[in-house]
Amino acid sequence: MLKYNDKLLMLVFTILVLTGPIILAPFGAGYPDLLQRFVIFGILAVGYNILFGLTGYLSFGHAAFLGVGSYSTVWMFKLLTMNIIPGIILAIIMSGLFALLIGFITLRRSGIYFSILTLAFAQMSYSLAYSVLTPITNGETGLQIRLADARILDAKNDSGSLPSTNLFGLEMNDTWRTTFMGMDLQFNVGFYVSAFILIAVFYLSIRIFRSPFGLMLRAVKTNQNRLMYTGINTKPYTLAAFVISGMYAGLAGALLASMDPLAGAERMQWTESGSIVLMVILGGASTLLGPVLGAGVIKYFEAIFSRINDNVLHEWFDILPGFLETFMVWIVHPFVGKGWSLTLGAVFMIIVIFLPGGLMEGANRIGKRFVKLKRGSADNAKTPAE
Amino acid sequence: MDAIFLQVLNGLDKGSAYALIALGLTLIFGTLGVVNFAHGALFMLGAFCAVVTRKILTLSQITLDPERTNFLGKPLEIKTAYVELWWGDVGTWMIDYSVLLSIGFAIPVMAIIGIVMERGLIKHFYHRPHADQILMTFGLAIVLQEIIKAFFGANPIPQSAPDAMGGAMDIGILFGFAEYAVIYPYWRLVYFVFAAVVIGGVFAFLRFTTFGMVVRAGMVDRETVGLLGIDIDRRFTIMFGLAAAVTGVAGVMYTPILPPNYHMGMDFLVLCFVVVVVGGMGSLPGAVLAGFMLGMLESFSSMNEVKAVIPGIDQIIIYLVAMVVLLVRPRGLMGKAGMMED
Amino acid sequence: MGILEVQNVNKHFGGLHALNNVNLDVKKGSVHAIIGPNGAGKSTFLNCLIGKLAPDTGSVMFQGKPVLGQKPHQINQMGISRVFQTPEIFTDLTVFENVMIPCFAHRDGSFVLNAWKKVKGETGIREQAEQMLLDVNMQDKLHMNAASLSRGDKRRLELAMCLAQDPKLLLLDEPTAGMARADTNATIDLLKHISETRGITKVIIEHDMHVVFSLADTISVLAQGAIIAEGLPEDIKGHPKVREAYLGEAEV
């Protein structure tokens, strides 16, 4: 892992992210809504990886921080201003505090007990948001902005329509469209705001990975006992990692709310936490690029698969004879459209069983085989000369 | 007073379900050392065994009655279940008692599902990190619930208790309360008795059979028992089947109380993990005790008098208790020393 | 006044009296060996010293400060390091990283949030770690994964990790267990070398009498949880009680 040149990695990453709307357009993923999701869930996954990838602590509660972030941001939209900055700052602070509290309690245990505790905490937060704290969260309906909200920093809104989120006047849903070589390209403000944030927090995560702090976290994962007998107090290290990754999640929640100013309890459900884990695992836990890749792949296929219906399937299998066509459609049908979750679960199992290192490990394996083939032939060439 | 008595009763049926699921969860954790996130799915599959049984029993022949018409003016369709056609009253009785009959269907089906799960998937994860076990079984849980959703749809499918056990009784009179003070549905009593019998059965099985003795020994020290030349792996497979069957029938019997839906497994799973942790990881009596305790606690906290003081407490009470228990007594109520204290 | 003073330490496991009024006085700069048959309580004793176990009664003073009741990392920061019977190393990290961690622990203490600095930029730490690996003759294995080391190398690595902290007291739990003769001798030489160059106080638990008599200045004999004899190696060799305790155990 250390062999990669970090500057090069950073450069390539930045270029890829910023040119996202162009690169992804041919794959039918070049529209703002999906692009924003790529980037925001990328932030979430990068943050989760700081906890899970480095320390090995498997949290099933990160959706709670996502929710806290969204609620905080929407409240800022209601009270202060539609500018996203105060919302983002409050979201990071709130989720950090929340993570500090939860982490302080749950990190007293490790392994499966930690997982179960975070699960219980997340479920409790969900219940709180769904019913108990209705005055703050607006319960089942979810928290939304209204015309009557105070927004004390904004100019009086007489337009009669809901204001939109902005960054010092730049509206998040502004999109500049153009056609290039027959492709419809959409450059969206919200996407670019999120993209710059992703690049910044990705850089931060590289720094953490390469720092003495990161080294200690990796040591926690491999042998916590040794670390204690080496004079290191492991608890503040794991707690710091937990809080940092919680703040990443809060930031992601804030951005979700900034793109679409509402926050609902369903964002905090533990199956959501599960899907965060899945993104990281799929891409490759404890690699730098893996989590972003995983988040992208999952959000992409979620968008594509959910759109496929039986008509599309019949088109695909049109060349087959009638009964085979019907059969294939019948087989594939449960996996697409509303059945996307089934595919997700199946992919999850397959990855954990066959490729625990995720896509990055798969790429590495292929790469190694390739190198070996090359080196093998080079060695053969050398032997006679010696 | 009668209100408290009623809440005790209300806690019983939920507590029974918690206890049964937690029992299966603990059996699997204790014997195989695997944290099974797919355990809730087993409960859900059990419930759907009841749905399938009823569907099969009510497969109907459709005849047209030309004398009567439906609202579209077409001849009225009359559905008669085949079992009723063939066996008359016996058939009607079978449909009425389909919940109980489906136990006979669920036990073998669930045991086989459990055994296949263990042999096909979980076996390969004994030596993998716990995180991998959790993730794999989590994936499996999603797959199972989505398959059920694909076949049965997303809406709950109400099931009825047999007529004789439907309705409610005035149980308060038996205990000296006023008339109509404590009304309690029959079926919940049935569920409690059933749970007690199953739990008793499992304990007796582990206590008094050689098989159970070996399994208990294996829970303490798997390697040593293996060295004695006992094929502990095969016994653990059977144990997994047993745990699946116990959880499955718990699901079957719960259908008249809660109409089965595809995500009921996940809903129960989290609570049952909490139950297991509170009871003490790996302790069977602890799981049962904590199951009933938390069931009661939940029903008490849903009393209006309590909710008036702390609104919404019924939603979070279980988690709060779990946290307090873990902080004060990490090994749980009846857990062994050293377990979970790291 | 010794650097480590143990007074009246008792430890029960259920009905078993694992440590029975153990007293020990380790002099600064000496090599103090604790020997005894299997089950004598040697490992229990070490575990009490590093905070893994809490004795029922008694006191342990290190440089005049109490050790009992402190957390393992605090005890370590006081200057006590331990080499375990089965090497405890960071198997997922490289050899170099393994040694850097104790260097950081020595410099920065038990916790510091240095998430922005780069490990690569820590020149001082890197030089220190390299020097340490040179001292134990592992400079050629710098970037190997610690998991792929041989058993002997793992032990040497663990020793290097403990030494990297520049401890005042080094506890060694059977440092040569399961080693071939040649490796054992190499380890003895290494430990002797360390004693000569660094003068760290050591407490060694050992089965192998060859090792004990080559290294120790003082020997305490532990049997059934109690110290039955203590003295110079020559005295212990002929001690009747020791012979009795070891009957059939090992050649003394």
Side-chain angles (χ1 to χ4, degrees):
Chain A
M1 219 170 55
L2 280 161
K3 271 178 275 171
Y4 290 111
N5 186 334
D6 288 341
K7 276 183 192 142
L8 187 70
L9 176 69
M10 211 43 230
L11 188 72
V12 172
F13 182 78
T14 308
I15 293 172
L16 284 180
V17 171
L18 293 182
T19 55
I22 304 169
I23 301 174
L24 292 169
F27 301 97
Y31 55 97
D33 181 44
L34 186 56
L35 287 168
Q36 288 166 1
R37 254 182 289 154
F38 283 162
V39 177
I40 293 172
F41 282 91
I43 294 171
L44 184 60
V46 167
Y48 187 80
N49 194 37
I50 290 173
L51 178 71
F52 178 60
L54 287 177
T55 68
Y57 275 76
L58 177 65
S59 159
F60 258 99
H62 264 54
F65 306 128
L66 190 76
V68 169
S70 291
Y71 282 122
S72 312
T73 307
V74 176
W75 268 112
M76 282 288 112
F77 290 154
K78 288 168 84 71
L79 297 176
L80 281 184
T81 165
M82 290 305 282
N83 190 332
I84 61 174
I85 297 288
I88 289 178
I89 292 172
L90 182 73
I92 294 176
I93 294 172
M94 289 307 288
S95 55
L97 289 176
F98 198 55
L100 192 67
L101 173 74
I102 294 189
F104 184 76
I105 296 173
T106 53
L107 282 167
R108 286 168 164 239
R109 305 278 157 260
S110 59
I112 44 172
Y113 310 115
F114 172 78
S115 302
I116 294 174
L117 270 178
T118 48
L119 181 60
F121 247 120
Q123 203 59 8
M124 187 169 100
S125 315
Y126 169 71
S127 298
L128 285 172
Y130 194 77
S131 57
V132 185
L133 296 178
T134 306
I136 302 174
T137 61
N138 202 17
E140 237 175 296
T141 338
L143 194 63
Q144 288 159 336
I145 53 167
R146 282 169 212 281
L147 272 177
D149 290 331
R151 277 187 279 282
I152 49 176
L153 293 184
D154 284 1
K156 205 154 183 290
N157 177 11
D158 298 322
S159 65
S161 59
L162 284 173
S164 48
T165 53
N166 63 70
L167 179 69
F168 303 113
L170 273 173
E171 292 194 353
M172 288 302 123
N173 48 18
D174 258 2
T175 304
W176 181 67
R177 292 180 84 139
T178 179
T179 311
F180 176 72
M181 285 170 51
M183 287 183 305
D184 174 32
L185 301 183
Q186 306 186 30
F187 300 94
N188 169 264
V189 174
F191 165 75
Y192 275 102
V193 169
S194 313
F196 280 115
I197 292 176
L198 171 66
I199 291 165
V201 297
F202 183 71
Y203 179 65
L204 178 63
S205 94
I206 292 187
R207 291 302 294 246
I208 290 175
F209 266 66
R210 301 283 185 252
S211 69
F213 174 70
L215 180 64
M216 293 303 172
L217 295 183
R218 280 159 63 212
V220 167
K221 185 179 185 177
T222 125
N223 192 341
Q224 183 149 198
N225 264 331
R226 184 17 116 192
L227 203 56
M228 282 186 328
Y229 295 119
T230 310
I232 296 293
N233 190 2
T234 53
K235 180 124 187 253
Y237 279 98
T238 45
L239 186 59
F242 191 80
V243 172
I244 291 172
S245 77
M247 287 160 91
Y248 267 75
L251 172 64
L255 288 172
L256 278 180
S258 301
M259 301 306 132
D260 187 8
L262 54 88
E266 70 287 340
R267 212 168 264 174
M268 300 175 89
Q269 233 169 352
W270 72 282
T271 38
E272 283 303 303
S273 297
S275 79
I276 302 172
V277 184
L278 175 55
M279 289 172 199
V280 176
I281 299 268
L282 175 70
S286 69
T287 64
L288 284 166
L289 218 44
V292 187
L293 188 69
V297 168
I298 285 180
K299 287 294 150 191
Y300 177 69
F301 282 106
E302 183 182 71
I304 300 295
F305 271 57
S306 312
R307 243 185 282 157
I308 299 171
N309 55 27
D310 277 5
N311 292 335
V312 180
L313 286 182
H314 277 290
E315 258 171 50
W316 284 4
F317 299 115
D318 206 22
I319 36 166
L320 296 172
F323 70 95
L324 254 182
E325 182 187 326
T326 320
F327 177 73
M328 285 309 290
V329 171
W330 183 78
I331 289 273
V332 181
H333 171 82
F335 289 93
V336 296
K338 284 183 183 152
W340 156 245
S341 302
L342 179 57
T343 316
L344 199 67
V347 170
F348 204 114
M349 283 174 71
I350 291 168
I351 290 286
V352 178
I353 294 171
F354 297 109
L355 203 64
L359 294 176
M360 291 301 279
E361 186 189 287
N364 269 348
R365 275 192 204 167
I366 295 169
K368 260 188 202 146
R369 189 161 297 172
F370 192 67
V371 171
K372 218 177 252 172
L373 278 178
K374 257 187 163 173
R375 200 174 285 162
S377 56
D379 284 349
N380 286 342
K382 230 187 271 170
T383 327
E386 281 173 351
Chain B
M1 189 60 205
D2 46 355
I4 291 175
F5 183 65
L6 182 65
Q7 294 310 327
V8 170
L9 289 177
N10 278 341
L12 279 184
D13 61 288
K14 204 143 207 200
S16 308
Y18 290 161
L20 282 174
I21 304 173
L23 187 69
L25 208 53
T26 306
L27 275 178
I28 291 175
F29 180 78
T31 50
L32 311 168
V34 169
V35 187
N36 184 15
F37 268 53
H39 204 72
L42 292 174
F43 182 72
M44 182 266 303
L45 287 180
F48 276 89
C49 281
V51 175
V52 170
T53 310
R54 176 162 298 234
K55 276 216 164 141
I56 293 172
L57 286 176
T58 51
L59 276 181
S60 302
Q61 190 185 43
I62 296 169
T63 46
L64 294 178
D65 185 348
E67 311 261 308
R68 289 186 286 170
T69 53
N70 64 8
F71 64 97
L72 289 174
K74 293 192 178 137
L76 191 71
E77 291 178 353
I78 297 174
K79 288 185 181 176
T80 326
Y82 285 109
V83 282
E84 281 181 298
L85 276 183
W86 299 332
W87 298 316
D89 283 350
V90 180
T92 316
W93 179 87
M94 281 173 76
I95 293 173
D96 188 23
Y97 280 86
S98 78
V99 173
L100 294 180
L101 290 178
S102 45
I103 290 177
F105 172 66
I107 288 176
V109 170
M110 293 306 296
I112 290 170
I113 290 177
I115 288 169
V116 169
M117 239 168 93
E118 201 271 344
R119 285 289 92 181
L121 285 172
I122 293 180
K123 188 182 78 174
H124 306 291
F125 278 79
Y126 290 153
H127 301 294
R128 297 268 292 265
H130 274 309
D132 284 4
Q133 298 174 354
I134 292 176
L135 294 171
M136 194 276 289
T137 48
F138 176 69
L140 181 64
I142 295 178
V143 167
L144 289 176
Q145 83 170 34
E146 292 302 319
I147 290 176
I148 291 297
K149 187 177 155 195
F151 278 98
F152 295 92
N155 294 324
I157 306 166
Q159 305 287 305
S160 53
D163 278 343
M165 300 175 195
M169 68 184 286
D170 190 351
I171 199 170
I173 289 188
L174 297 178
F175 292 88
F177 294 105
E179 225 173 316
Y180 303 120
V182 184
I183 305 285
Y184 196 63
Y186 278 111
W187 184 258
R188 297 190 178 214
L189 277 184
V190 172
Y191 195 78
F192 171 65
V193 173
F194 163 80
V197 169
V198 171
I199 292 168
V202 170
F203 275 91
F205 177 71
L206 289 175
R207 187 101 192 84
F208 299 118
T209 62
T210 353
F211 184 95
M213 206 183 71
V214 173
V215 169
R216 276 188 298 138
M219 282 170 91
V220 178
D221 186 349
R222 181 169 192 171
E223 267 167 39
T224 313
V225 180
L227 289 177
L228 294 175
I230 295 167
D231 183 1
I232 197 79
D233 276 2
R234 216 188 67 203
R235 282 163 209 264
F236 280 175
T237 307
I238 298 172
M239 217 48 227
F240 202 101
L242 178 71
V246 167
T247 313
V249 290
V252 168
M253 294 291 281
Y254 209 64
T255 51
I257 301 175
L258 178 80
N261 57 33
Y262 72 99
H263 56 76
M264 66 192 284
M266 287 287 192
D267 300 345
F268 271 83
L269 179 72
V270 184
L271 290 172
C272 287
F273 266 127
V274 174
V275 168
V276 170
V277 167
V278 170
M281 209 80 179
S283 158
L284 295 173
V288 174
L289 179 76
F292 280 109
M293 242 184 59
L294 293 181
M296 301 261 177
L297 215 56
E298 207 178 27
S299 78
F300 271 110
S301 60
S302 63
M303 284 166 76
N304 286 329
E305 290 87 339
V306 178
K307 277 206 280 193
V309 183
I310 318 166
I313 184 74
D314 54 322
Q315 304 278 328
I316 55 169
I317 180 79
I318 287 193
Y319 304 112
L320 285 180
V321 169
M323 264 159 237
V324 171
V325 167
L326 276 170
L327 293 178
V328 178
R329 192 180 158 86
R331 68 169 97 145
L333 295 176
M334 300 181 77
K336 289 179 219 118
M339 198 86 160
M340 182 157 184
E341 291 191 310
D342 52 330
Chain C
M1 280 291 275
I3 187 168
L4 179 75
E5 286 173 51
V6 178
Q7 274 172 354
N8 302 325
V9 164
N10 281 285
K11 178 77 190 169
H12 290 265
F13 290 117
L16 177 72
H17 204 162
L19 292 176
N20 184 1
N21 263 340
V22 173
N23 288 288
L24 200 73
D25 194 28
V26 181
K27 289 195 183 51
K28 195 167 185 210
S30 71
V31 178
H32 197 129
I34 299 173
I35 61 170
N38 274 331
K42 300 184 303 273
S43 291
T44 308
F45 180 63
L46 269 203
N47 285 340
C48 287
L49 293 187
I50 58 161
K52 199 172 179 181
L53 285 176
D56 303 331
T57 58
S59 84
V60 179
M61 304 292 270
F62 178 68
Q63 291 186 316
K65 285 180 208 128
V67 165
L68 297 183
Q70 303 279 345
K71 298 217 172 82
H73 67 89
Q74 291 168 324
I75 294 176
N76 178 280
Q77 289 287 354
M78 289 167 82
I80 303 180
S81 280
R82 176 178 176 179
V83 175
F84 286 81
Q85 198 171 344
T86 40
E88 291 269 344
I89 52 174
F90 304 110
T91 44
D92 289 354
L93 307 183
T94 65
V95 170
F96 190 46
E97 286 170 328
N98 264 277
V99 184
M100 271 197 288
I101 287 173
C103 292
F104 277 119
H106 182 56
R107 192 192 71 185
D108 298 338
S110 59
F111 173 71
V112 63
L113 189 66
N114 43 1
W116 193 251
K117 276 189 212 138
K118 284 181 182 166
V119 173
K120 272 191 177 164
E122 300 275 7
T123 338
I125 297 279
R126 299 176 74 90
E127 277 167 10
Q128 211 180 327
E130 264 167 41
Q131 184 57 43
M132 205 59 246
L133 284 166
L134 201 66
D135 284 0
V136 294
N137 253 329
M138 287 182 73
Q139 66 277 21
D140 51 334
K141 298 188 171 101
L142 230 57
H143 296 294
M144 266 174 80
N145 209 318
S148 57
L149 292 176
S150 71
R151 203 179 145 83
D153 276 346
K154 280 182 185 164
R155 279 179 177 284
R156 278 198 288 167
L157 174 60
E158 195 186 18
L159 189 60
M161 289 163 70
C162 288
L163 290 176
Q165 296 192 288
D166 198 15
K168 299 185 183 95
L169 173 66
L170 184 62
L171 307 174
L172 297 132
D173 192 353
E174 305 204 20
T176 63
M179 274 192 184
R181 202 32 130 192
D183 279 341
T184 306
N185 286 334
T187 311
I188 293 175
D189 290 343
L190 181 64
L191 289 173
K192 268 190 176 161
H193 175 73
I194 294 164
S195 294
E196 280 156 21
T197 51
R198 294 173 175 248
I200 300 169
T201 316
K202 293 188 206 64
V203 172
I204 299 185
I205 285 186
E206 189 50 81
H207 254 317
D208 189 330
M209 292 304 133
H210 171 61
V211 179
V212 172
F213 290 115
S214 334
L215 288 172
D217 303 321
T218 318
I219 297 179
S220 296
V221 185
L222 200 62
Q224 291 173 341
I227 303 265
I228 54 166
E230 191 172 277
L232 300 172
E234 304 83 76
D235 302 339
I236 295 297
K237 253 183 197 168
H239 203 292
K241 267 193 183 171
V242 179
R243 284 180 173 275
E244 193 186 319
Y246 263 87
L247 203 64
E249 261 272 333
E251 187 187 328
V252 182

